[in-house]
Amino acid sequence: MQLALIVSFLLAGGACLLFFFSFEKRKPAVKDILPVVVMVAAASAGRVIFNFLPQIQPVTAIVIIMGIYCGKQTGFLTGALCALVSNLFLGQGPWTPFQMLAWGLVGMLAAVLAKVPPFRKTWAVCVYGFLASFLYGAITDLWTVMSMGESLSWPLILTAYAAAIPFNLLHGVGNIAFLLLLYRPLGNKLKRIQEKFGVLAC
Amino acid sequence: MRNPISEFHPLAVFLYFMTAVGITILWNQPVFLAMSFGIAFGYASALEKGRNILRSLVWLLPVVLLPVIVNPLVNHRGNTPLLYVNDQPITMEAILYGLFTGVMIAAMLFWFQAYSKSLDSDGFLYLFGKRFPSIALMVTMIFRFVPQFHKSLQEIAAVQKTLGVSTSQGTLKQRLQAGGMLLSALISITLEDSLQTADSMNSRGYGLPGKTRAKKIRFTLRDGLLFGAALGELLFFLLLWGMGKTDFYYFPALTSTGWTPEVIVFFAVTCIYFLIPIFIMIGEEIKWLFLKSKISRLPIPKHKSQP
């Protein structure tokens, strides 16, 4: 009986759909969505380009930057869309809703933390980026864990998550590198279009 | 090989695959899982080129083997201990449960692979575009931005080259710096361009009622048949599942409710249901052979003969 898998699948997908519903309800202006489109396109292209390196991709870094500069909603939207679109290139699977939720939450949490000014310092963002890889891993590995059905138990969950640690570490190191490279330059560009065009204010 | 399923209505295709995946996840009966895996693998392979089939066999091995190894180590239920590790029994039931969990995951992944090949992004947007117009617009524009990135990057590189900034000359450090500059310019330009696009879209009446689609998608009889088949199959399964007819237990010993008549009927129906795409493929292939033989009988003057 793989009920746990179906339920977790529906929960993750449902959470993303719920967010999309609330986003559509606000009737977003074209001006507010196009910068997000550009960033998602850049991040997804980056993920496809870096696909030859395991776990190393710029998506998490860009999602965090969008969360910090453009707020909770845009952070979640960027994360969810990055997963959806890059998987259209790399292949959809049962992991898609989990990745959408995980990246969305990473972006959302970044926006919440950014409310506290010291968090906006580069080193603090890098620390968050490193830890975010574990949050992302914990959510995306859920479908692997849930597919074990009746064997689901604490030792199994611990084993699965322990096995994922090296991958999460790689992902975290990649995040730090991309954040060091992109955080300030990209942030300044986002600030500039926010001031110049009056869009995406959080 | 051509995939005839991709020419069906997106709604029918979506329901077809979700039903196949859903039943594969929920019915843990070994014979059924082997059948689902075999057909999904055959179907996904028929849509792939030769080398990609080999590649999918490479990742298939860990997917199936990992649960076989991990499961008996953490799950000690089952009546038939084979050996003891640290005073903990390794049971045959746990190994079998792990094996068929692996087969289930692999079958599900192959169904998803075939699904990805059958429903392109256009069909996907058609399905979700009505309810999520802004999200659908964003996904469409993201696709459009990828070639634009490429074009803008070439333009920027051409201009920067006249200023002596190039990624193909100089020391490694200079080249990396040049690359960084190009990317930075690219993002600035596309961000600002995108806002101009927004103005342009607004002035052309984006969001006003009466929008039409470039590609006409119609729900025809054959779409209705596929949709009906998927719905019927799903309801049939949910009925048996709800009555507990499909229950299968691995612990403490492999037990099932047996091959009752309704389970046999359902198994046969599901087998046919899973084979629908293959039937259509073969049907189209026969039709084409038939048409080809007709063409060759027509009195057309021969072109240059092939060596």
Side-chain angles (χ1 to χ4, degrees), chain A residues 1-3 5-6 9 17 20-21 23-24 28 30-31 33-42 77 81 84-85 88-89 92-95 143 147-151 155-156 159 186 189-190 192-193 196-197 199, chain B residues 22 25-26 28 67 70-71 74-75 77 97 101 104-105 108-109 112 115-116 121 124 131-135 137-139 141-143 145-146 149 184 187-188 190-192 194-195 197-199 201-202 206 241 251:
Chain A
M1 184 82 77
Q2 303 284 358
L3 210 56
L5 182 59
I6 295 258
F9 190 73
L17 281 185
F20 284 166
F21 268 124
F23 175 73
E24 293 285 357
V30 193
K31 276 198 161 181
I33 64 175
L34 275 170
V36 182
V37 166
V38 174
M39 301 311 285
V40 175
L77 183 64
L81 280 181
L84 185 65
V85 172
L88 284 172
F89 291 109
Q92 302 282 6
W95 48 79
W143 88 265
S147 63
M148 300 305 276
E150 280 173 57
S151 301
L156 178 96
T159 320
L186 211 55
K189 285 182 212 306
L190 288 170
R192 181 183 140 81
I193 63 157
K196 187 174 169 188
F197 296 93
V199 296
Chain B
I25 293 176
L26 282 175
N28 57 355
V70 172
N71 197 51
V74 295
N75 189 338
R77 290 153 71 202
Y97 186 71
T101 301
M104 183 274 287
I105 296 173
M108 176 171 72
L109 294 180
F112 265 103
Y115 157 82
S116 298
S121 51
F124 184 77
R131 201 146 295 254
F132 303 105
S134 305
I135 301 287
L137 174 75
M138 290 176 85
V139 174
M141 294 194 78
I142 292 163
F143 276 110
F145 262 109
V146 176
F149 272 148
S184 168
I187 290 180
S188 291
T190 28
L191 267 180
E192 296 213 4
S194 76
L195 287 158
T197 310
D199 279 339
M201 284 168 68
N202 276 331
Y206 168 74
W241 187 65
F251 306 107

Side-chain angles (χ1 to χ4, degrees), chain B:
Chain B
M1 207 186 269
R2 235 165 51 88
N3 182 12
I5 274 275
S6 65
E7 283 151 31
F8 279 70
H9 191 277
L11 193 63
V13 178
F14 189 75
L15 189 68
Y16 175 82
F17 282 104
M18 288 308 122
T19 299
V21 170
I23 297 176
T24 303
I25 293 176
L26 282 175
W27 198 14
N28 57 355
Q29 211 256 36
V31 183
F32 163 75
L33 283 175
M35 186 267 282
S36 175
F37 169 76
I39 294 177
F41 176 65
Y43 181 31
S45 305
L47 301 177
E48 286 287 352
K49 293 189 187 75
R51 186 183 284 177
N52 288 357
I53 301 172
L54 281 181
R55 202 179 294 161
S56 62
L57 282 177
V58 170
W59 64 248
L60 188 67
L61 218 59
V63 166
V64 178
L65 282 186
L66 196 70
V68 180
I69 297 163
V70 172
N71 197 51
L73 293 178
V74 295
N75 189 338
H76 303 293
R77 290 153 71 202
N79 282 345
T80 331
L82 296 176
L83 64 148
Y84 285 84
V85 175
N86 288 343
D87 288 337
Q88 296 275 24
I90 302 289
T91 65
M92 186 187 75
E93 284 82 2
I95 293 175
L96 284 176
Y97 186 71
L99 175 68
F100 283 100
T101 301
V103 171
M104 183 274 287
I105 296 173
M108 176 171 72
L109 294 180
F110 279 118
W111 279 118
F112 265 103
Q113 197 181 332
Y115 157 82
S116 298
K117 295 263 165 195
S118 305
L119 196 68
D120 59 358
S121 51
D122 206 39
F124 184 77
L125 287 173
Y126 173 83
L127 274 185
F128 296 99
K130 274 197 198 116
R131 201 146 295 254
F132 303 105
S134 305
I135 301 287
L137 174 75
M138 290 176 85
V139 174
T140 315
M141 294 194 78
I142 292 163
F143 276 110
R144 187 254 173 281
F145 262 109
V146 176
Q148 182 174 325
F149 272 148
H150 186 68
K151 201 176 145 238
S152 311
L153 192 62
Q154 283 178 331
E155 282 172 13
I156 297 165
V159 173
Q160 292 288 326
K161 206 167 188 178
T162 64
L163 301 172
V165 178
S166 164
T167 49
S168 53
Q169 277 166 12
T171 62
L172 186 67
K173 198 186 165 201
Q174 282 172 330
R175 284 157 78 162
L176 281 176
Q177 272 177 340
M181 258 179 84
L182 292 184
L183 278 183
S184 168
L186 176 69
I187 290 180
S188 291
I189 288 175
T190 28
L191 267 180
E192 296 213 4
D193 269 1
S194 76
L195 287 158
Q196 284 194 354
T197 310
D199 279 339
S200 162
M201 284 168 68
N202 276 331
S203 58
R204 283 154 202 249
Y206 168 74
L208 295 178
K211 195 181 110 203
T212 52
R213 295 179 55 81
K215 191 176 160 190
K216 274 250 154 53
I217 299 180
R218 284 214 183 81
F219 197 86
T220 57
L221 179 65
R222 58 172 203 170
D223 302 318
L225 289 176
L226 185 64
F227 187 84
L231 203 63
E233 167 76 14
L234 187 63
L235 289 178
F236 193 3
F237 174 71
L238 287 179
L239 198 69
L240 289 186
W241 187 65
M243 291 193 296
K245 302 274 184 202
T246 57
D247 287 2
F248 190 92
Y249 304 97
Y250 287 82
F251 306 107
L254 269 61
T255 33
S256 73
T257 45
W259 289 93
T260 51
E262 54 265 55
V263 173
I264 293 173
V265 170
F266 177 69
F267 188 89
V269 167
T270 308
C271 199
I272 295 167
Y273 175 76
F274 282 175
L275 284 169
I276 288 176
I278 314 251
F279 287 150
I280 301 175
M281 261 181 181
I282 294 170
E284 300 256 306
E285 213 56 38
I286 291 171
K287 213 199 273 170
W288 172 232
L289 280 178
F290 180 69
L291 286 173
K292 247 193 339 200
S293 71
K294 250 184 166 174
I295 293 169
S296 64
R297 267 190 268 127
L298 289 176
I300 302 172
K302 281 242 166 77
H303 294 287
K304 271 180 224 157
S305 59
Q306 303 252 313

Side-chain angles (χ1 to χ4, degrees), chain A residues 101-188:
Chain A
L101 183 67
W103 266 326
L105 286 179
V106 165
M108 204 173 209
L109 194 58
V112 173
L113 290 172
K115 290 262 164 37
V116 189
F119 175 75
R120 287 168 166 258
K121 290 205 163 57
T122 308
W123 67 264
V125 173
C126 285
V127 170
Y128 173 67
F130 185 72
L131 296 176
S133 70
F134 286 89
L135 172 65
Y136 174 84
I139 297 174
T140 47
D141 289 341
L142 265 182
W143 88 265
T144 334
V145 174
M146 289 299 176
S147 63
M148 300 305 276
E150 280 173 57
S151 301
L152 205 56
S153 60
W154 287 114
L156 178 96
I157 295 172
L158 288 180
T159 320
Y161 280 134
I165 286 176
F167 295 95
N168 291 336
L169 282 176
L170 263 177
H171 179 190
V173 171
N175 287 352
I176 293 178
F178 280 111
L179 279 171
L180 283 176
L181 211 65
L182 297 173
Y183 178 54
R184 287 296 166 197
L186 211 55
N188 289 337

